Amino acid sequence: MSIDITGLPPERIVFDISPLAELGVALHALHEPGHHPGLHGWATATAAGLKPDLADRLHEADFLWRSTFSDIFIPFAGLPVDPRRVGVTSLKEELDLLDRLNDERFVSSALEFTCATTYSAGAPSPLVDPARREHALDLAANRGPRQLDFTRRLLTDPASVRAWLRRLFEDCEEAFFADTWRRVSVQLAADARHKSELLRRKGLTEALRAVSPALTLDEGGTRISADKLADGRTTATDPAVGAGLTLLPSSFGWPHLMVVHAPGWQPVIQYPIGAPELPGAASVELLKRRMDALAHPMRMRMCRNLGRATYTTSELADALGITAPEVSRHLAVLKKAELISTRRRGRYVLHQLDVAAVARLGSDFLETVLR
């Protein structure tokens, strides 16, 4: 994953905080506690305190943050550089920015869970391209009835879905996030100030090293690389939105290092601060089977997909660019190593990574796969 910063003025590299971005990661941690071993207590207590209606509505749209981090949580990146973004610290202000995204940009962002393979391509919006519309509906149907219903509603009446989501996020703030944000925002603001000062005093290389060892700057100082099991390229000097790179600390993010790299959006890096201690390793015999299974680079790539969502064999074949029989052979090895689980939904057989099992292999591997 790389970000071209050629010619980017130093003052356009900004460390900031975002309540909406943090809400997105908090919702992910709430619905995927296996990804976040240090947040089990918070997730359990928060889930137990949700009113049934809010819990049901969160379940209805959890694919926006459960398997894919939708860019709707970082709307400022999809708008022209705007000085009004400076000093935005409330969820309401960021939801106002979300309202300013045009329908095509909003719909494309909300449908990221159906277009992982075309995210970097800048494909036309399903609102204006009939082929993309049918493709989005087909992929949503593969994911399940909730995803299909959401996609149909979004493509038919985006305004009503916008209003529904805004109300959902406002209700989250009232139910639990206002208290959560008051608690974590102080730490996030302190981290942003520290990294800003480090950037000013010691330069971008040192600032990136402090953010994450997965981030590096090339010798010419023109390209930032993020060491992730994903490919993507973007630029911080797109004239459509103006020059800029924003880095956002997150208290809920570990082990994810997220890079917004959609064409026409400002690049954003959301990075975790702090990391939990993980449980010890498995038995020697099981550990050997698992390490042998994960020695293959294709199976590591497969684990990245399966760690974020359930996939059918055909979906994995499409995402990884290999044949279905090849996918089946790799899945058999991972299943023998007890690293994946399989369940049937109608005529589909869904596979998913056992994140808890991977966590027992150690934080380095877990962080690399889920980064």
Side-chain angles (χ1 to χ4, degrees):
M1 191 83 66
S2 65
I3 303 172
D4 185 355
I5 60 169
T6 303
L8 182 66
E11 64 271 15
R12 295 305 306 161
I13 301 175
V14 177
F15 286 88
D16 204 348
I17 62 174
S18 166
L20 183 55
E22 192 70 354
L23 173 60
V25 185
L27 289 172
H28 171 73
L30 183 64
H31 288 85
E32 288 287 2
H35 289 193
H36 305 270
L39 296 173
H40 285 171
W42 174 86
T44 300
T46 301
L50 293 178
K51 294 181 178 179
D53 173 68
L54 179 56
D56 289 343
R57 286 187 288 143
L58 287 174
H59 176 69
E60 187 176 345
D62 65 6
F63 42 84
L64 294 175
W65 53 79
R66 191 165 196 159
S67 58
T68 303
F69 293 100
S70 171
D71 288 347
I72 63 171
F73 290 104
I74 309 180
F76 67 86
L79 297 168
V81 173
D82 188 341
R84 284 177 289 178
R85 163 63 193 162
V86 178
V88 169
T89 57
S90 74
L91 186 64
K92 178 186 181 302
E93 290 173 303
E94 291 212 304
L95 291 176
D96 289 343
L97 294 179
L98 180 59
D99 288 342
R100 289 174 52 198
L101 289 180
N102 63 41
D103 279 349
E104 289 187 31
R105 187 153 288 196
F106 176 83
V107 167
S108 294
S109 300
L111 290 180
E112 283 175 36
F113 69 94
T114 70
C115 63
T117 57
T118 60
Y119 177 87
S120 301
S125 162
L127 283 180
V128 299
D129 187 318
R132 288 277 296 120
R133 180 188 183 93
E134 290 305 312
H135 187 58
L137 288 168
D138 287 343
L139 290 175
N142 288 342
R143 289 297 182 195
R146 289 188 298 114
Q147 291 89 329
L148 179 58
D149 178 66
F150 177 86
T151 302
R152 284 173 173 162
R153 288 165 49 207
L154 185 63
L155 293 174
T156 302
D157 188 4
S160 69
V161 177
R162 282 176 176 270
W164 185 86
L165 279 175
R166 175 161 187 146
R167 177 62 184 275
L168 177 65
F169 296 153
E170 289 172 341
D171 288 349
C172 286
E173 181 178 39
E174 181 179 350
F176 67 89
F177 188 69
D179 290 338
T180 298
W181 180 246
R182 277 193 291 270
R183 175 172 56 83
V184 304
S185 60
V186 175
Q187 182 186 19
L188 297 182
D191 185 87
R193 286 194 300 269
H194 170 69
K195 299 293 195 308
S196 297
E197 182 65 14
L198 192 62
L199 175 63
R200 186 186 66 82
R201 290 188 297 105
K202 295 190 175 182
L204 184 56
T205 297
E206 290 300 317
L208 292 176
R209 184 177 292 121
V211 167
S212 170
L215 295 176
T216 56
L217 182 67
D218 69 357
E219 291 184 0
T222 62
R223 188 173 299 276
I224 297 171
S225 296
D227 183 22
K228 291 170 61 72
L229 285 172
D231 296 322
R233 296 178 181 275
T234 188
T235 176
T237 56
D238 188 335
V241 290
L245 168 64
T246 303
L247 296 99
L248 303 174
S250 172
S251 289
F252 289 88
W254 190 92
H256 307 300
L257 178 73
M258 289 166 287
V259 182
V260 173
H261 60 284
W265 289 62
Q266 296 174 48
V268 177
I269 299 173
Q270 188 174 19
Y271 62 92
I273 57 175
E277 294 185 4
L278 296 173
S283 67
V284 173
E285 181 182 354
L286 182 57
L287 178 62
K288 183 178 183 303
R289 290 205 306 271
R290 289 175 171 172
M291 296 303 289
D292 287 343
L294 297 170
H296 196 289
M298 181 56 72
R299 288 195 284 271
M300 283 190 66
R301 290 181 60 194
M302 198 172 288
C303 284
R304 181 182 187 276
N305 291 78
L306 296 174
R308 294 173 179 271
T310 56
Y311 277 79
T312 65
T313 299
S314 60
E315 287 175 331
L316 281 172
D318 179 65
L320 299 171
I322 60 177
T323 66
E326 288 178 292
V327 170
S328 295
R329 286 194 291 270
H330 287 304
L331 288 174
V333 175
L334 292 170
K335 190 171 184 179
K336 185 177 180 180
E338 300 177 28
L339 288 170
I340 63 171
S341 60
T342 300
R343 61 184 175 87
R344 180 174 291 278
R345 190 189 68 223
R347 63 189 181 92
Y348 298 106
V349 176
L350 303 175
H351 311 283
Q352 188 166 30
L353 187 70
D354 185 340
V355 177
V358 173
R360 288 194 290 272
L361 291 175
S363 60
D364 285 348
F365 183 81
L366 179 64
E367 184 173 0
T368 299
V369 169
L370 295 180
R371 185 183 297 149

